[in-house]
Amino acid sequence: MKQIMSVAFVALLAACQTAPVQTPAADAPVGAAAVVKPSAGQQWLFGSAEASVIMRQTWETIADYVEAKAAEAPTYGVVLTPDSSPVQPGFLACEGRPLAAVFDADETLIWNLGSMAAFERMGIGFDPAIWDEWEKTGAGKAVAIPGALEALARIREAGVTVIVNTNRAAENAAGTEATLEAAGIGEFSHGSTLFLRGDAPDGTGKDGRRMMISENYCVIALVGDQLGDIADPFNEKTLSVMDRKVLTEAPAISGLWGNGWFVLPNPVYGPSIRGDFDDIYPEATHWVPSAASELPAAN
């Protein structure tokens, strides 16, 4: 799987992607495979024309932005300094460094169709041992996200280096390099253009790796499917669902979305899949139809 997990790929997917266990129909012959219907999130993300259009639109916007920014010879990038935050941001200076765009891998550059289908067929949400095997052996079974290859070609043509920062394990670097190459994303080298969980001491956070990348590059674009692909403070565990949304709207950074910071949709897993009924449907929006007595109560 994103460029799979942002805050902690293994921990988050296990916590956030909970799929019901699939069992064979009662009248299915013994030994027959169960008929598995993909979850709604995967149906939409991997199968719908709407998702494909949104992805291609977004990648077109990313390429447009990077081309324009590269032509400006910027003096500052879009990576937050270690002593700043989304509320009071500071950005790392370019200082003559070559330009780079940094991407998450799972569900940002590639769709992990092989592993996601395997989890669905097995009737499980996620299994870290199986995912570890996928990182090692999944080359050729993941595909480039619609629009990514065309946009990456434009970005490279503009003289901007493409760098991947993913929470895949450093121990599986060879498998990740092979997966990206097989999907047509390009050739990457661990520690140079590919950064993985374990490369920096902050564990599953990505800020440490962003600092490592920024030692050699001016990062003019950050792209992912989770807010942790942009900056770790967005994934602070104490933030409520609403607080997290409000943080993205802080006046000092609100203009960066689509203008250096880009987020692709992922309704399947990660820290965005959270919130109880009242988090999602604020009290001020409550409405009761006349047939309310006939409706099932919300859990």
Side-chain angles (χ1 to χ4, degrees), residues 71-88:
E72 294 176 9
T75 56
Y76 284 89
V78 295
V79 174
L80 293 177
T81 59
D83 58 349
S84 69
S85 71
V87 176
Q88 295 182 311

Side-chain angles (χ1 to χ4, degrees), residues 64-266:
D64 287 346
Y65 166 83
V66 171
E67 288 175 337
K69 185 58 67 172
E72 294 176 9
T75 56
Y76 284 89
V78 295
V79 174
L80 293 177
T81 59
D83 58 349
S84 69
S85 71
V87 176
Q88 295 182 311
F91 299 95
L92 295 175
C94 289
E95 298 178 343
R97 297 183 179 91
L99 304 182
V102 177
F103 301 84
D104 177 42
D106 302 301
E107 278 57 67
T108 296
L109 292 171
I110 55 173
W111 276 340
N112 293 281
L113 299 187
S115 61
M116 297 300 265
F119 288 136
E120 292 280 88
R121 292 189 186 99
M122 295 171 70
I124 60 176
F126 178 71
D127 182 280
I130 293 174
W131 175 256
D132 183 71
E133 182 181 359
W134 168 252
E135 288 189 3
K136 292 182 174 76
T137 66
K141 302 300 183 180
V143 302
I145 285 180
L149 298 185
E150 296 83 355
L152 292 174
R154 291 174 56 189
I155 289 168
R156 289 175 169 127
E157 182 65 25
V160 177
T161 299
V162 173
I163 295 177
V164 175
N165 182 11
T166 170
N167 269 333
R168 286 176 171 233
E171 295 81 3
N172 298 335
T176 294
E177 290 171 357
T179 294
L180 293 170
E181 184 173 4
I185 303 299
E187 295 183 11
F188 296 87
S189 175
H190 183 207
S192 175
T193 53
L194 174 64
F195 291 81
L196 301 159
R197 177 168 46 86
D199 289 345
D202 55 350
T204 57
K206 291 188 173 182
D207 279 347
R209 280 170 265 156
R210 280 184 276 267
M211 294 302 111
M212 294 171 66
I213 295 166
S214 297
E215 291 175 1
N216 298 307
Y217 292 94
C218 170
V219 178
I220 61 173
L222 292 167
V223 184
D225 65 309
Q226 313 286 347
L227 294 182
D229 297 323
I230 308 300
D232 289 346
F234 288 117
N235 282 338
E236 171 58 50
K237 290 182 172 57
T238 60
L239 291 173
S240 69
V241 171
M242 181 55 67
D243 287 343
R244 194 163 178 261
K245 290 173 67 175
V246 169
L247 185 59
T248 66
E249 300 164 2
I253 62 159
S254 60
L256 282 164
W257 304 112
N259 188 33
W261 289 357
F262 300 88
V263 179
L264 299 171
N266 181 355

